[in-house]
Amino acid sequence: MSQDSTTVPETSRKLSGRRRREIVAVLLFSGGPIFESSIPLSVFGIDRQDAGVPRYRLLVCAGEDVPLRTTGGLELTAPYGLEALSRAGTVVVPAWRSITQPPPAAALDALRRAHEEGARIVGLCTGAFVLAAAGLLDGRPATTHWMYAPTLAKRYPSVHVDPRELFVDDGDVLTSAGTAAGIDLCLHIVRTDHGADAAGALARRLVVPPRRSGGQERYLDRSLPEEIGADPLAEVVAWALEHLHEQFDVEALAARAYMSRRTFDRRFRSLTGSAPLQWLITQRVLQAQRLLETSDYSVDEVAGRCGFRSPVALRGHFRRQLGSSPAAYRAAYRARRPQGGPAERPDRPDRLERLERADRPDRAEVIEPRTGDHALPLRRPGAPGGPTGHSGHPQHHHHAPHPEPGKPESDAYAPRLPEQAAGRAPGRPTLPGQRERPVG
């Protein structure tokens, strides 16, 4: 279940008799960042009953028999060892010192035992690598910091890594993205255990929003996994990033790599953890995001400069990845960062709604797939005469308008694939629960 879901999966195992639901164990390792390590200590280790926050009992445990030094050089002393995990109903791994090093075997055994006995296991940021090494993420959806998500997906191919989520709740195993997303997940745990009022009271004490909408999409950049640097495919990926404004598709990238499309797809996924088509779409959307923030190009011009076949394609993919239209995104961004003149309030829904309507004309526009692309037409959500899904009414196909002369006409606009029509992104598993943007 993603962080936007409204239902919480049931834990799959009953808590054993010696464990207590209110006891939270935090597993620390040497070399861990102090910020991530301090998040569960602050959320679960401070008595805030006067503010309406139910009390947890915190056990800080050393995950290895070495001095626990943080990234800043501070040395910590944990009052408990791995044996204390046997009493906890929740075990939190706030971080792991290196995504290239294997965690201690004794700590992995203790985590497996805790999970078998019904404990809820939580990995914050790179703590997901520890959970994956213990085999607790096999066959499950999970997330981590967007920068490390491709490495997690490559190293543990049985884990369904989703780098777009702030956190993922799969019932008895939960993971979060980096740093501040750890706070989001800890608040979610309090909300799950004690309700929205308790989580809201804690959020007020921490001076953070009780819920953050959206995910990590806005933070993704053009960075590549560490391991790809020495691979021959890196040259093709670098070329693609430098030529996003040109018209090319995955077939063209495969040809540049002197591979068949099937081989290229397999190699690309093994290196990056993402399907090449989805990666290319994401890079084009990110480039559009930058241009909307830093230039005065119209939405049509932005679409052309990012290699989209038409503005319709840009709007569709932009909305799916960032949750708003390009025009509304630009207006909100500029309202937060005024450049001369009085600042406009970013929370003006009336203005954003007008921009959304202006960016979404009433007429239906459909992008027809090219011959050989196994895809469905792409239609703006809410456009009249659009595909009806399960309603049984026929679908009407209209050709998309031709781009302006001189604009790139890339076939990497990627109309909706069959799995996208079913509500999930290509190459990614469907996360449990229905995605919904929370308010506030």
Side-chain angles (χ1 to χ4, degrees):
M1 182 186 72
S2 73
Q3 55 98 8
D4 290 332
S5 300
T6 55
T7 57
V8 178
E10 295 294 330
T11 54
S12 58
R13 296 176 179 85
K14 245 182 168 178
L15 201 62
S16 68
R18 60 180 174 172
R19 295 182 180 274
R20 295 292 178 266
R21 186 67 63 189
E22 69 277 7
I23 297 180
V24 177
V26 177
L27 191 58
L28 299 181
F29 298 96
S30 185
I34 192 169
F35 188 10
E36 282 83 350
S37 301
S38 69
I39 289 171
L41 304 184
S42 179
V43 170
F44 302 111
I46 299 177
D47 186 355
R48 296 187 176 94
Q49 294 180 88
D50 61 327
V53 181
R55 184 176 183 179
Y56 290 88
R57 184 181 174 193
L58 182 71
L59 304 178
V60 182
C61 307
E64 52 192 340
D65 295 327
V66 296
L68 302 181
R69 293 188 176 89
T70 71
T71 49
L74 297 177
E75 187 167 318
L76 306 177
T77 301
Y80 301 96
L82 290 172
E83 70 283 350
L85 266 62
S86 62
R87 298 150 56 191
T90 299
V91 179
V92 182
V93 183
W96 173 238
R97 59 174 167 263
S98 173
I99 62 173
T100 62
Q101 293 182 19
L108 298 181
D109 289 340
L111 286 171
R112 295 188 195 102
R113 192 177 311 113
H115 183 250
E116 290 168 0
E117 294 179 356
R120 176 172 52 191
I121 311 297
V122 181
L124 308 182
C125 192
T126 53
F129 283 81
V130 180
L131 273 58
L136 302 182
L137 297 181
D138 290 351
R140 292 178 179 265
T143 192
T144 187
H145 193 292
W146 60 264
M147 190 167 61
Y148 305 125
T151 302
L152 182 65
K154 177 187 176 184
R155 188 165 300 156
Y156 303 99
S158 60
V159 181
H160 306 314
V161 180
D162 186 349
R164 301 187 305 175
E165 298 293 350
L166 289 177
F167 64 81
V168 172
D169 179 346
D170 197 41
D172 53 356
V173 178
L174 304 86
T175 51
S176 81
T179 313
I183 302 176
D184 295 312
L185 180 50
C186 288
L187 283 173
H188 170 75
I189 291 172
V190 174
R191 187 182 303 113
T192 300
D193 290 348
H194 301 290
D197 289 345
L202 177 57
R204 286 192 295 274
R205 289 294 291 266
L206 297 176
V207 197
V208 296
R211 281 180 183 265
R212 283 197 297 162
S213 61
Q216 297 190 82
E217 298 101 325
R218 72 194 76 176
Y219 307 112
L220 295 169
D221 70 5
R222 297 153 69 114
S223 299
L224 300 174
E226 298 171 358
E227 291 91 339
I228 198 175
D231 192 276
L233 208 60
E235 183 179 344
V236 176
V237 171
W239 180 90
L241 291 173
E242 294 299 323
H243 295 79
L244 287 175
H245 60 284
E246 298 180 9
Q247 53 175 348
F248 63 88
D249 60 2
V250 178
E251 295 284 355
L253 295 180
R256 291 188 68 87
Y258 301 100
M259 298 179 186
S260 68
R261 172 63 185 271
R262 178 177 295 182
T263 301
F264 182 80
D265 282 3
R266 185 174 62 251
R267 289 279 298 130
F268 193 95
R269 186 184 292 274
S270 70
L271 282 170
T272 68
S274 173
L277 181 59
Q278 186 60 37
W279 178 85
L280 185 56
I281 293 170
T282 299
Q283 298 306 318
R284 294 194 188 282
V285 169
L286 291 171
Q287 179 68 2
Q289 189 178 359
R290 295 185 189 97
L291 290 178
L292 290 168
E293 293 172 356
T294 61
S295 76
D296 292 322
Y297 295 128
S298 68
V299 173
D300 289 17
E301 289 175 317
V302 169
R305 290 174 178 271
C306 297
F308 286 102
R309 181 185 175 189
S310 73
V312 178
L314 167 61
R315 292 184 180 104
H317 290 300
F318 200 95
R319 186 180 297 278
R320 273 191 290 275
Q321 292 201 25
L322 296 176
S324 69
S325 70
Y329 176 85
R330 169 179 272 170
Y333 180 86
R334 291 185 174 179
R336 292 192 302 269
R337 295 166 176 79
Q339 297 177 354
E344 199 167 4
R345 286 176 59 95
D347 54 349
R348 285 281 302 277
D350 54 339
R351 171 172 171 77
L352 292 186
E353 286 172 6
R354 290 198 303 272
L355 286 165
E356 293 277 1
R357 286 196 297 270
D359 203 37
R360 190 170 58 241
D362 292 336
R363 65 186 182 86
E365 294 176 283
V366 173
I367 299 175
E368 298 289 353
R370 297 181 299 117
T371 303
D373 278 347
H374 304 291
L376 299 177
L378 171 65
R379 184 181 297 276
R380 277 201 191 89
T388 58
H390 302 290
S391 65
H393 298 293
Q395 300 182 8
H396 303 285
H397 298 259
H398 303 268
H399 290 285
H402 292 289
E404 298 176 17
K407 295 287 176 65
E409 188 170 344
S410 172
D411 50 4
Y413 62 91
R416 299 182 70 188
L417 302 176
E419 56 261 44
Q420 287 177 307
R424 59 187 190 275
R428 297 174 54 248
T430 302
L431 294 179
Q434 178 68 34
R435 287 181 62 85
E436 172 181 295
R437 297 287 177 189
V439 177

